Amino acid sequence: MTNTYRSIQSLRTRLKTLRTRKKSIGFVPTMGALHEGHLSLLRRSRKENDITVLSIFVNPTQFGPSEDFRRYPRQEKNDERLAINENVDIIFYPTEKTLYPSGYLTYINIDTMTRHLCGASRPEHFRGVSTIVGKLLNIVQPDKMYLGQKDGQQAAIIRKMVHDLNIPVNVRICPTVREPDGLAMSSRNAYLTSQQRSEAPVLNRALKAAREEVRSGIKRAAIIEKLIRKNVNANSSADIQYVTCVDANTMQPVKTLTGRVMIGIAAHFGSTRLIDNITFTA
Ligand code: AMP
């Protein structure tokens, strides 16, 4: 039985009852327009907890002024159907006013980790993400929270926030779910024209090729980044925003690929910005 809650108070009352009954709570925060990537997180939560809470909220504070907040897909009915299908216990569907009432002033800012990769071109983005996730964690108080590696920098930042702020939740980062041709599933894929859609898997292919190059002995980040750019430019009309090799924990750029590393990429296909990453031990 899936129940939808829109107010913090009614959700808290329900969760309190469940907690006194010693039910473990798994939490999956999303912006909706659910796809297989989101569903994989819900399934993992179902497997590892008694109760699964899904939140759906297109968070305005993580979008820049010229970004796609207004056109971001909102598909409440379809999302609800998918959630019911996955036996989600609770959907939290708050309004903007509920989470950011007028006069709202408090934000969570995480240093250094937010400067590179997506943070370089989206200066306010991670402040919005960490603030909303911090708020949702305080509201839901889950035992475990499930995030996707698809947003690798986001996952690392949230893990750090949970650690630094002593938030009592276990953060589980789950693998990126991909289309058969390798394109990482994303709610934004729906914006792509058929030509762009056919080109978009180049991001994943270029990252995988780069991993092989690192394994064959090319360890200099500048060279690897150049090879990725060359590959993407030769095989698509994408406009690359960044290709950056970072330490997988700190999200700081590295000069040489050694140990646990992540290579992140963002590129525009027309007006649609896609991101992807690959994490491995070099
Ligand atoms: P979003 O709705 O885009 O904010 O994503 C909500 C959660 O789903 C985040 O933790 C994302 O990293 C995760 N997610 C999005 N796409 C995928 C995917 N293709 N595979 C795995 N997780 C994903």
Side-chain angles (χ1 to χ4, degrees), residues 56-221:
I56 299 177
F57 181 62
V58 184
N59 175 36
T61 63
Q62 70 189 69
F63 289 80
S66 60
E67 291 180 2
D68 58 344
F69 175 66
R70 279 187 195 290
R71 78 160 173 159
Y72 198 84
R74 287 155 173 91
Q75 304 169 353
E76 179 171 354
K77 281 284 153 251
N78 196 47
D79 286 349
E80 196 169 28
R81 189 182 58 74
L82 290 168
I84 290 168
N85 226 14
E86 294 300 327
N87 294 309
V88 165
D89 301 279
I90 292 174
I91 305 174
F92 181 42
Y93 215 122
T95 65
E96 204 176 313
K97 251 202 172 130
T98 299
L99 290 178
Y100 299 110
S102 72
Y104 188 88
L105 289 176
T106 307
Y107 295 90
I108 302 174
N109 206 23
I110 292 143
D111 243 329
T112 63
M113 291 180 83
T114 53
R115 284 199 195 135
H116 304 284
L117 303 160
C118 291
S121 58
R122 304 184 78 190
E124 304 288 295
H125 173 67
F126 288 114
R127 182 177 94 132
V129 169
S130 43
T131 300
I132 194 64
V133 175
K135 283 169 68 69
L136 290 168
L137 284 172
N138 278 333
I139 293 165
V140 178
Q141 299 184 10
D143 298 284
K144 299 190 179 78
M145 172 169 63
Y146 297 83
L147 303 173
Q149 179 58 34
K150 157 77 180 14
D151 301 278
Q153 184 179 20
Q154 168 175 290
I157 287 169
I158 297 298
R159 198 198 269 287
K160 181 70 175 144
M161 173 185 84
V162 161
H163 179 261
D164 284 358
L165 293 180
N166 312 99
I167 302 175
V169 65
N170 190 323
V171 179
R172 302 278 166 111
I173 299 172
C174 306
T176 303
V177 177
R178 298 180 181 281
E179 300 287 356
D181 60 11
L183 175 64
M185 291 199 182
S186 164
S187 306
R188 291 188 169 100
N189 292 350
Y191 303 152
L192 299 171
T193 64
S194 62
Q195 174 66 24
Q196 292 161 349
R197 172 64 191 82
S198 69
E199 290 179 3
V202 72
L203 301 183
N204 177 238
R205 278 204 307 274
L207 291 173
K208 286 203 309 201
R211 181 181 58 193
E212 290 323 300
E213 280 146 0
V214 175
R215 287 188 172 150
S216 74
I218 306 173
K219 303 277 187 185
R220 276 203 31 221

Side-chain angles (χ1 to χ4, degrees), residues 39-57:
L39 302 187
S40 74
L41 306 182
L42 293 171
R43 286 176 198 143
R44 176 96 179 264
S45 172
R46 283 269 301 152
K47 211 179 271 174
E48 298 180 359
N49 302 277
D50 300 320
I51 298 293
T52 289
V53 180
L54 161 70
S55 69
I56 299 177
F57 181 62

